[in-house]
Amino acid sequence: HWFVKDKQSDWKIEFSQNNAVFHVNVDCNPVGEHWTRQEFAMTSEVKERMKKVLGATNYSLALRNCEHVARYIQAGVWVSFQMVKPDSFMRKKFIEGLAEKTKLINKFPEELRPPGESFQTIYEDITDNVHCGGPRDALSEKDEKGYNILLIGPTGAGKSSIINHLFNQRVCRIGHGAKPGTREVHFTQGEYWFYMKNKKGRMENKMRNVNLIDTIGLCDNMLENEEVQSFIEESLKINILHIDKVLVVCSGRITQNHKDAIKLFLKLFKFKKYKQRFAFIYSKCDDQTEEERSENLETMCELLDDEPDENDNESNQPDKITVAFPPDATVPSEEIRNDLQNLKMVALTPIDSKRISLDKRTWLAKFLARG
C-alpha cells in the first residue's frame, strides 16, 4: 500500500477504503510499520496535485491504484511500477484480463491529463515539415508501417522543442528551466513526403505516416533511472515493435548521472548494432559560437559513445548535429533554417537497413495492437 505522509505528524493522503468505498482522502490514523520510499518537499506544485486527486474514486488495482496517486502527488507522473515489472505479482495477475485496456496502463486519467499545446504554427514561411495529425493515446498495428522516431534525453534538454520544430507547430508542452514538460510517453502522428526506393528499386517521393514519440525526461530527481527506463520501455513495447530513428538530445553540462541514464537506453535499443539509426543532438545552442557548438557536441559524443567496437565502420555511425531554436523566435534566421534542415536530414532520411527491433511482446500485446 502506498501513501504520502507528512514527515512531522501522522497526517497522510492516500487512496484507501472508507465505508466500503475507495476514494482519495486525508486522515491522521496511525500508519503502523512502514518504510519510506522517498522524501520530497511540499512545494506549491505538490499541493496543487493533492487538490486535484482529493476525493477521487473509480479505484482500479491495474489502472488507478494507490501507487499511481502517491507517485502523481510526488512527481506529477501517473505510473505504478507494480504494473510494469514483468515479474511483479500485480502484472502477472491482471495483464491478460485487461484485454483492450492494456494500453491504458500508466496513462493519465482524463481529468489529470497535463494541458497540451496550442498547435500554433511556429514559422509561417516554413512548409517542408511533418504535417501534424494530432496526438495519440496509443498506437496500433496499422501504425507499425509508419516511420517511428523516438526522443530520449535529460529533463530540460529540448526534446519537446525538437518535436515542435519537426512539425513546425507547438504540439508538445515545453518545460521551463529544470521543470519537465513531458510527464508520460507522448505519441504525436503526422505525415511526411519521403524520397525513398519503391518495390522496383527506383527512387520516388512517397507520403508516409510519421510517429514522433516524446518521453519523460531522464534524471529529474523524482524517479530513479531504472524506473524511468521501465516506464518508457513498457509503454513502447505495448505500442510498437520497431523504431526507425532514436534522437538522443542533450544540452548544457552533461553529468555522470545523465551519461549513466542515457547509456541504459543505448543498451536497450542495441546502439552498437544500430548506430546509424541514432542521432546525437546537442540542443539549446543559442548564443554559442560555431567553435563552442562543435566542442560541446564532441564532448557529448565522447561521453556517450566511449566504447569503440572493433567492427565499427563509417557506414555504421550515429548522426551528430547541434541545434539552436530560440523559444520566442517567430521569423527563422539563416542559422535556424540551417539547423532545421540538418534536423530534418538526420531525423527523416530513410535508412536502407533493418529497423531497431524491440524484444518480442506477448501474444496478447500483439493481439491488442490490431485494435
Side-chain angles (χ1 to χ4, degrees):
H1 179 66
W2 292 71
F3 54 88
V4 175
K5 179 183 175 296
D6 179 51
K7 189 176 180 180
Q8 306 301 327
S9 70
D10 285 333
W11 285 104
K12 63 184 181 298
I13 182 170
E14 59 184 335
F15 210 158
S16 62
Q17 187 175 15
N18 187 10
N19 296 326
V21 177
F22 276 97
H23 64 277
V24 180
N25 65 89
V26 174
D27 64 64
C28 59
N29 299 326
V31 297
E33 185 177 350
H34 67 283
W35 59 278
T36 301
R37 180 67 180 81
Q38 187 170 354
E39 294 185 359
F40 57 98
M42 175 68 87
T43 64
S44 59
E45 289 86 356
V46 168
K47 290 181 181 179
E48 186 61 30
R49 291 196 289 267
M50 285 182 174
K51 292 178 183 178
K52 287 183 177 181
V53 297
L54 191 59
T57 55
N58 292 337
Y59 181 84
S60 163
L61 279 169
L63 305 178
R64 194 180 173 99
N65 64 39
C66 57
E67 185 184 1
H68 282 116
V69 169
R71 289 190 180 274
Y72 174 73
I73 292 171
Q74 175 222 353
V77 297
W78 193 260
V79 58
S80 171
F81 288 102
Q82 300 170 89
M83 289 301 299
V84 168
K85 296 176 181 176
D87 58 347
S88 74
F89 169 80
M90 291 259 293
R91 181 177 175 83
K92 289 178 179 178
K93 184 173 180 63
F94 293 111
I95 189 67
E96 293 194 12
L98 281 170
E100 73 275 5
K101 302 295 185 183
T102 297
K103 292 189 179 184
L104 296 179
I105 292 175
N106 294 333
K107 299 296 291 185
F108 275 105
E110 190 66 36
E111 68 272 20
L112 297 179
R113 184 166 296 173
E117 268 290 0
S118 62
F119 287 83
Q120 178 184 358
T121 298
I122 301 175
Y123 308 118
E124 293 292 345
D125 61 339
I126 298 290
T127 57
D128 181 25
N129 51 264
V130 181
H131 300 283
C132 185
R136 298 281 299 274
D137 287 332
L139 301 178
S140 68
E141 193 171 34
K142 292 181 292 185
D143 301 313
E144 184 59 30
K145 293 182 180 180
Y147 190 84
N148 298 320
I149 304 174
L150 175 71
L151 289 90
I152 59 171
T155 292
K159 303 183 299 296
S160 298
S161 176
I162 285 175
I163 289 179
N164 288 347
H165 281 79
L166 285 169
F167 282 115
N168 193 29
Q169 281 184 290
R170 303 192 187 282
V171 301
C172 291
R173 189 182 180 200
I174 304 295
H176 299 285
K179 187 183 293 186
T182 305
R183 304 308 289 159
E184 63 178 340
V185 176
H186 184 273
F187 301 94
T188 308
Q189 194 169 75
E191 294 180 325
Y192 187 73
W193 284 102
F194 287 88
Y195 189 60
M196 56 192 298
K197 288 182 179 179
N198 60 22
K199 293 181 179 180
K200 295 182 179 180
R202 298 173 182 171
M203 300 301 294
E204 66 176 12
N205 286 313
K206 182 179 180 180
M207 181 70 82
R208 187 176 177 187
N209 282 347
V210 176
N211 300 307
L212 279 155
I213 308 164
D214 197 5
T215 57
I216 184 173
L218 312 180
C219 312
D220 71 352
N221 298 320
M222 287 296 187
L223 298 174
E224 295 179 0
N225 292 339
E226 290 77 10
E227 291 177 332
V228 174
Q229 180 189 359
S230 296
F231 185 16
I232 295 174
E233 181 181 0
E234 179 67 15
S235 296
L236 293 176
K237 287 183 176 180
I238 288 176
N239 284 278
I240 60 175
L241 285 170
H242 300 93
I243 299 172
D244 294 278
K245 198 77 176 190
V246 178
L247 307 184
V248 182
V249 185
C250 291
S251 65
R253 178 172 170 266
I254 303 172
T255 67
Q256 183 64 42
N257 194 25
H258 293 156
K259 174 182 174 180
D260 293 343
I262 292 171
K263 294 199 79 169
L264 285 174
F265 284 94
L266 295 184
K267 182 178 180 180
L268 175 65
F269 300 128
K270 308 177 183 72
F271 172 68
K272 288 186 177 181
K273 181 178 180 180
Y274 297 107
K275 283 188 176 184
Q276 63 182 325
R277 290 196 174 273
F278 285 74
F280 291 157
I281 303 177
Y282 192 85
S283 181
K284 298 189 175 180
C285 295
D286 315 27
D287 303 322
Q288 292 185 12
T289 65
E290 284 298 323
E291 183 178 359
E292 289 171 332
R293 289 172 70 146
S294 297
E295 288 177 357
N296 287 327
L297 180 60
E298 183 178 354
T299 299
M300 176 185 176
C301 296
E302 288 175 351
L303 287 171
L304 300 181
D305 190 9
D306 59 350
E307 300 175 9
D309 192 300
E310 61 183 17
N311 296 319
D312 275 356
N313 55 66
E314 291 185 4
S315 64
N316 187 33
Q317 293 298 319
D319 293 310
K320 306 164 188 177
I321 63 169
T322 63
V323 296
F325 299 131
D328 299 325
T330 56
V331 178
S333 64
E334 182 177 350
E335 182 180 64
I336 289 175
R337 290 181 184 275
N338 289 337
D339 287 350
L340 279 171
Q341 189 61 37
N342 290 336
L343 175 60
K344 286 182 284 190
M345 187 175 297
V346 302
L348 297 167
T349 299
I351 298 171
D352 191 17
S353 66
K354 292 184 67 174
R355 308 164 82 189
I356 300 173
S357 297
L358 300 179
D359 292 337
K360 291 183 179 179
R361 296 174 286 183
T362 63
W363 67 268
L364 174 69
K366 289 181 179 179
F367 170 77
L368 293 173
R370 300 189 184 101

